[in-house]
Amino acid sequence: MRRSRGLTAALALSLAGAGTAIGLVLIPEASAITQPVAFTADDLPTWQPNGIVWAMAEANGTVFAGGTFSAVRPPAGGAGAEQEAVNFVALDAATGAPTACKLSFTIGDGSATVRALTVSKDKKTLYAGGYFAAVNGTPVNSVAAIDIATCTPKASFHPKFPSTVRALTATDTTLYAAGDFSTVEGATRERFAAVDATSGALKPFVANADDPGRALQLSNDGKNILLGGDFFTVNGSQSHALVVVNATTGAVTKTYGTIPSMSVIKSIQADATGYYTGAEGTGGFDGRVALATDFNEKWRDQCLGATQFVLPYDGVLYSSSHAHNCTSEGQYPDGKRHFLLAQLTDWGNGQAPAPVGGFVRSPAKLGWHPTANDGIGEGIGPRVMAIADGGATKYMWVGGEFTLINGKAQQSLTRFASTGDVGAPTTPVASVSSVKPDEVQVRWRTSYDADDSKLTYRIYRNGSATPIATVSANSLEWLRQQASWTDSTVKAGASYSYRVTATDAAGNTSALSATVSVSVPTAVSAYPNQVREDGANLYWRYDDVVSPYVADSSVSGNTSGIQLNAPALRQTPGAVTGASTAMGFNGTSQQVYSDHRQTVGSSYTLETWFKTNTTRGGKLIGFGTNQDRTSNLYDKHLYMTNTGRIFFGVNPGSTKTLSTGLLDTYNDNKWHHVVATQGPSGMALYVDGKAKDSSNVTGSQAIEGYWHVGGDNLAAWPSRPTSNFFAGQIDETAVYPKVLTEAQVKNHYNLAKAATDTVSKVTATEDTYINQGAPSTAYGTSASLAVRGTAAYETYLRFDIPAAPAGTVLKSASLQVKTTTVAGAGTADTVSVVPVTGTWSGAGTTFKSKPTLGTTPLGTFAGLPDGTAVQSTPLDTAAISAVLGSSYSVGLTSTGSDPLWIWSSESTAVDAKPQLTLTFGAK
């Protein structure tokens, strides 16, 4: 973001399978690249200069690049040797390699540079502007005309521009120039001028400006020309940075007073529907403005980050910048730099949204995110863009100061094609939970793909090679909401595992997510079910097993959390009785923030559990304008003081707080439940099911932002603690878009203490199988086990079964096995699970010494599919209850001839070892 004066020469949803999908956007089937984006984000091999590219133009499949450099070299790993290229290179649009056209732009004193390139309408002449005195030895004065067919300067074209020319545009008869000059051909022409396109003779066009000109764009009808730059007056009329003048005379036809004084216009481009500008500023305006054909403003993109170039193409506005803060557009907060962006040139429904801050917001960003870096020079990154025709393929060329593209070394020039997408989406991060006997919720943070915003997700259950469901969802780099699918074909008491992949429209597929597993309860889990039933639209349970994803367990299920600085996972015991876990925070840097920007209505409820002995206080939960950086604006928060009191605060213009009493402190290292509400009746604060404070304050700060748990700004708030960050454990955080009643709050507190089912998973301690075809062989150390009726294989499994926890009984039991990777490992035959009544050992048991088996099955598998799938079958609860607290053996038998091969306890494959899942609950 810069401002300078007096510059001189150097400068949706698709679903297949059982269950339902939640929190997704309905989308049509995607094409090879998610439309309307026209280019992949995969950079192509391109020759690269050893300096900066300031200007580009295209004609007949050739891209011309000008700047400040002396040579070009092949891309990394490419063939060829470095070639001399003095401030100019011509490249084949389709191959990225230099052509035979060689031009050298030089000057006797100082450093020559090419700052502007444009091509005549008939594609026969290339015009160059900058600061130079000769082209291939032919004398010129900062502007030159090149015959494209012969690659030679036109000696007859030699207008005299005494200082830097920064922009050019041409008609059939006229070349317009913008820059730092104050005279042309000895006549006064301050920063803008027009010359004859053939001879270079000065034309009567006069548009004198008080500061440099940087951009030019003819109106679609050719009657006017838009001028951009640093200026504040043009022909005596006040109009900062942007003005429209008559294309023949230069007379001012429209002025602007809406560009901040510390901003300049760097680029102006047009399509059939209007005009687009790119701005750079310091503490001012850094984004883009769209003008209608009547030159009136349609929308304004106020993202901060020094926009250098705009390029409309096929309904999309591409831009180069280092946009780092799009808070004003309701998009990503201050942080990472985004160097290349795409957005619609107009709103999708044709209707402008309501103005915000006096300006209409811009159309949303699209899914096109090639990455770059600041690079050399001023550290701006990309500076210029051009679209070139390579036959059936179009190419987006980008030039500037960057030295990296998509994380790889590539200097100052790169290109992207309209076909050939090869980049796969990132691997989904999955989570799974079940609070009811008849359903499992599979959730994942949507993946990111650099050129596809519409991705297809496939959910695989129990290791099967065939997906059980297919779901489509939208995502952007900075907007990766959670997607969900509910499996309604599960059985109570059984265990299931899930993995998820993401596929883009070109068929590029991510790796499988890490396996997530769940045991389906035999009864409704009272506390989490009630939170969902009472309408939470954010519910973080902190049962996640991987970083950085925190699953949203609410019914709507799309506000996942992101862990910052690795808070501790799976802390036990959690706040709610049963298997739920908590998250631990260090009190100095760790937090969880929500992954997409939102607003909060006038009625809401905050709820969470905490446990701590800190004397430094900290924020429990709150709403702020940033994600991984300290928020500038922040309220609707619960925080703890150094003494352990709890405060609930809002800021409708000044800070308003509720608090627990001086003696009501909660840093006693015990679990506590806190709820804060605000609505039409005011504010209320509850701790451990009891009302603690209230007020009639109904307003809060109207901001867009993100939820934070465990830390964020607390500056200027009453009884501010030593630390903004909370040291301790937090569990079961929920946000509701309504006010919970006092009765509901008390019910939640009581339900958290009610007895719930617990699940024990017991892996086989010993196993083997026998083979009738090798009657004397023992297989006790084999990594696989076999079952068949004819000729016989039998498998034996031994488990050390725990006793029931005090006050509970066994409510369900199931056996889980996983087929191996050998072809035909599954079986079409029924496999019975029966008790083993005789003695056996893995080392000594053979077909000749096999144990006696019971005749009454404990359970059966009605066939097991191929594909290394995990399978589970319920077992007789009464029979297993009778052997709790003992070592117990079961056998797997069959009467058919189709063999089953499963992994043994010696296997290292994921989820492979045979195991029992035991669910215990209250008597």
Side-chain angles (χ1 to χ4, degrees):
M1 298 181 294
R2 292 174 173 81
R3 171 72 176 101
S4 56
R5 298 193 67 175
L7 295 178
T8 58
L11 284 188
L13 169 69
S14 168
L15 178 66
T20 56
I22 300 172
L24 304 175
V25 179
L26 285 165
I27 60 174
E29 173 122 9
S31 59
I33 304 170
T34 302
Q35 296 296 312
V37 169
F39 303 95
T40 79
D42 303 315
D43 56 294
L44 297 173
T46 307
W47 280 58
Q48 47 194 321
N50 62 354
I52 299 170
V53 171
W54 297 99
M56 285 197 296
E58 181 272 343
N60 310 316
T62 299
V63 171
F64 307 104
T68 310
F69 50 85
S70 61
V72 291
R73 62 188 184 276
E82 183 175 275
Q83 299 180 13
E84 183 181 65
V86 182
N87 302 315
F88 175 88
V89 63
L91 304 112
D92 186 288
T95 68
T99 70
C101 178
K102 310 293 182 184
L103 297 173
S104 177
F105 289 76
T106 58
I107 196 167
D109 295 320
S111 298
T113 184
V114 175
R115 293 300 181 100
L117 294 170
T118 194
V119 172
S120 62
K121 301 299 182 182
D122 61 9
K123 302 290 186 179
K124 294 181 178 180
T125 302
L126 171 68
Y127 296 99
Y131 184 65
F132 47 83
V135 181
N136 285 1
T138 298
V140 292
N141 290 96
S142 293
V143 172
I146 312 297
D147 180 74
I148 293 176
T150 61
C151 188
T152 57
K154 296 182 176 182
S156 60
F157 182 89
H158 48 75
K160 296 179 180 179
F161 286 81
S163 54
T164 303
V165 172
R166 299 183 179 277
L168 295 170
T169 193
T171 69
D172 291 333
T173 60
T174 304
L175 177 69
Y176 296 89
D180 301 347
F181 50 85
S182 57
T183 63
V184 177
E185 295 285 351
T188 299
R189 294 291 189 274
E190 296 180 349
R191 284 82 189 195
F192 296 98
V195 299
D196 184 271
T198 301
S199 66
L202 185 65
K203 290 202 166 188
F205 174 92
V206 175
N208 290 332
D210 60 338
D211 265 335
R214 296 178 178 270
L216 298 161
Q217 176 60 50
L218 280 161
S219 64
N220 292 335
D221 61 8
K223 296 179 180 179
N224 292 280
I225 187 166
L226 292 84
L227 313 180
D230 301 47
F231 53 81
F232 289 85
T233 64
V234 176
N235 288 343
S237 297
Q238 297 289 322
S239 189
H240 173 53
L242 182 66
V243 70
V244 182
V245 300
N246 182 275
T248 301
T249 66
V252 173
T253 58
K254 185 172 180 61
T255 60
Y256 296 88
T258 58
I259 305 299
S261 62
M262 296 302 290
S263 297
V264 302
I265 295 297
K266 301 294 291 289
S267 175
I268 309 174
Q269 299 289 327
D271 66 8
T273 67
Y275 309 93
Y276 307 89
T277 72
E280 175 185 293
T282 299
F285 171 59
D286 252 356
R288 294 158 288 283
V289 172
L291 306 175
T293 53
D294 62 2
F295 308 119
N296 289 316
E297 185 169 324
K298 293 194 297 183
W299 54 257
R300 178 173 295 216
D301 186 324
Q302 299 189 78
C303 293
L304 298 178
T307 302
Q308 300 299 302
F309 202 83
V310 291
L311 182 56
Y313 178 74
D314 226 2
V316 173
L317 182 66
Y318 298 88
S319 58
S320 59
S321 67
H322 55 240
H324 57 86
N325 186 347
C326 283
T327 299
S328 60
E329 297 301 300
Q331 295 160 17
Y332 54 87
D334 196 11
K336 177 183 176 180
R337 291 186 166 192
H338 301 268
F339 293 93
L340 297 167
L341 295 173
Q343 63 197 121
L344 292 172
T345 55
D346 219 330
W347 306 277
N349 59 8
Q351 300 297 316
V356 175
F359 298 104
V360 175
R361 276 183 172 175
S362 64
K365 306 296 185 297
L366 301 172
W368 187 68
H369 312 293
T371 63
N373 68 338
D374 294 336
I376 59 177
E378 294 179 68
I380 292 291
R383 282 190 175 272
V384 64
M385 312 171 83
I387 293 173
D389 198 335
T393 303
K394 299 287 187 180
Y395 295 91
M396 166 72 78
W397 282 71
V398 180
E401 298 176 336
F402 52 84
T403 57
L404 294 175
I405 290 293
N406 291 335
K408 300 174 294 186
Q410 178 68 26
Q411 184 171 341
S412 299
L413 274 176
T414 191
R415 62 198 176 100
F416 308 94
S418 58
T419 59
D421 179 14
V422 297
T426 60
T427 302
V429 181
S431 177
V432 64
S433 67
S434 180
V435 299
K436 293 181 178 180
D438 57 353
E439 67 178 38
V440 167
Q441 295 82 42
V442 185
R443 304 179 177 90
W444 61 95
R445 187 186 186 205
T446 49
S447 296
Y448 159 63
D449 188 277
D451 45 33
D452 282 284
S453 55
K454 300 173 183 178
L455 300 176
T456 298
Y457 299 89
R458 292 178 174 85
I459 302 101
Y460 298 86
R461 187 173 77 176
N462 290 346
S464 173
T466 302
I468 191 173
T470 300
V471 171
S472 294
N474 288 342
S475 58
L476 298 171
E477 184 182 18
W478 55 84
L479 182 60
R480 295 170 59 184
Q481 292 176 281
Q482 178 176 283
S484 304
W485 176 75
T486 298
D487 188 351
S488 56
T489 66
V490 296
K491 298 177 182 178
S495 296
Y496 298 88
S497 65
Y498 299 86
R499 302 181 82 179
V500 183
T501 63
T503 303
D504 67 15
N508 302 304
T509 298
S510 73
L512 282 160
S513 70
T515 300
V516 289
S517 302
V518 67
S519 296
V520 182
T522 57
V524 170
S525 302
Y527 181 88
N529 186 64
Q530 196 61 52
V531 171
R532 288 161 56 91
E533 291 290 324
D534 284 340
N537 60 2
L538 179 155
Y539 185 21
W540 295 343
R541 303 203 66 199
Y542 308 112
D543 295 332
D544 311 283
V545 297
V546 294
S547 297
Y549 170 56
V550 176
D552 179 3
S553 294
S554 68
V555 174
S556 56
N558 67 357
T559 309
S560 53
I562 305 300
Q563 302 160 26
L564 180 63
N565 295 323
L569 306 181
R570 309 287 295 175
Q571 301 291 288
T572 57
V576 176
T577 55
S580 182
T581 61
M583 184 170 284
F585 298 84
N586 63 9
T588 58
S589 63
Q590 294 171 340
Q591 62 165 292
V592 174
Y593 58 84
S594 58
D595 66 349
H596 73 277
R597 193 173 185 84
Q598 64 187 96
T599 58
V600 180
S602 58
S603 294
Y604 60 91
T605 296
L606 312 181
E607 178 179 38
T608 199
W609 290 78
F610 66 90
K611 178 183 178 182
T612 186
N613 60 2
T614 185
T615 57
R616 301 179 70 248
K619 184 173 289 193
L620 294 168
I621 180 173
F623 194 69
T625 52
N626 271 347
Q627 288 181 299
D628 57 354
R629 297 187 178 191
T630 299
S631 293
N632 299 316
L633 302 175
Y634 40 94
D635 82 339
K636 292 180 274 292
H637 51 202
L638 285 161
Y639 61 95
M640 176 178 279
T641 68
N642 291 347
T643 61
R645 295 173 66 195
I646 301 298
F647 274 67
F648 169 39
V650 296
N651 184 2
S654 61
T655 58
K656 308 292 182 183
T657 59
L658 305 180
S659 67
T660 58
L662 291 174
L663 301 180
D664 288 337
T665 57
Y666 300 94
N667 53 350
D668 55 4
N669 218 30
K670 297 178 181 179
W671 279 111
H672 294 286
H673 179 235
V674 58
V675 176
T677 69
Q678 187 178 32
S681 297
M683 301 167 64
L685 175 64
Y686 305 87
V687 179
D688 294 340
K690 298 177 181 179
K692 292 296 181 180
D693 200 1
S694 63
S695 78
N696 61 1
V697 175
T698 59
S700 63
Q701 195 165 21
I703 56 175
E704 294 179 280
Y706 308 85
W707 290 109
H708 296 256
V709 169
D712 197 14
N713 207 343
L714 282 169
W717 281 84
S719 300
R720 182 188 181 185
T722 300
S723 176
N724 289 338
F725 292 89
F726 177 78
Q729 296 178 345
I730 296 178
D731 200 4
E732 303 290 331
T733 301
V735 178
Y736 305 78
K738 65 180 183 180
V739 172
L740 291 187
T741 66
E742 185 171 355
Q744 288 175 310
V745 172
K746 290 180 178 179
N747 185 40
H748 286 200
Y749 177 70
N750 292 331
L751 287 175
K753 302 306 177 184
T756 61
D757 291 351
T758 60
V759 176
S760 293
K761 294 189 175 184
V762 184
T763 301
T765 57
E766 190 171 15
D767 51 38
T768 191
Y769 76 99
I770 56 92
N771 179 2
Q772 187 176 14
S776 299
T777 303
Y779 296 93
T781 58
S782 173
S784 59
L785 305 167
V787 182
R788 184 173 62 192
T790 306
Y793 296 141
E794 289 180 357
T795 283
Y796 312 119
L797 308 169
R798 179 176 286 116
F799 298 93
D800 289 338
I801 301 180
T808 69
V809 296
L810 183 68
K811 301 183 74 173
S812 70
S814 63
L815 173 65
Q816 176 182 301
V817 297
K818 185 176 184 179
T819 52
T820 70
T821 55
V822 300
T827 181
D829 297 332
T830 296
V831 175
S832 297
V833 184
V834 296
V836 175
T837 58
T839 60
W840 65 279
S841 69
T845 298
T846 68
F847 183 80
K848 289 183 177 181
S849 62
K850 64 179 180 176
T852 303
L853 301 181
T855 57
T856 303
L858 301 169
T860 57
F861 292 96
L864 292 91
D866 292 340
T868 65
V870 174
Q871 297 295 325
S872 179
T873 186
L875 301 181
D876 186 304
T877 304
I880 302 301
S881 295
V883 295
L884 293 176
S886 69
S887 179
Y888 183 64
S889 297
V890 298
L892 303 182
T893 67
S894 174
T895 59
S897 59
D898 185 11
L900 167 69
W901 290 93
I902 61 174
W903 294 114
S904 76
S905 58
E906 279 77 24
S907 172
T908 58
V910 176
D911 290 330
K913 303 176 189 296
Q915 68 177 21
L916 293 177
T917 300
L918 307 175
T919 301
F920 298 97
K923 295 181 180 179

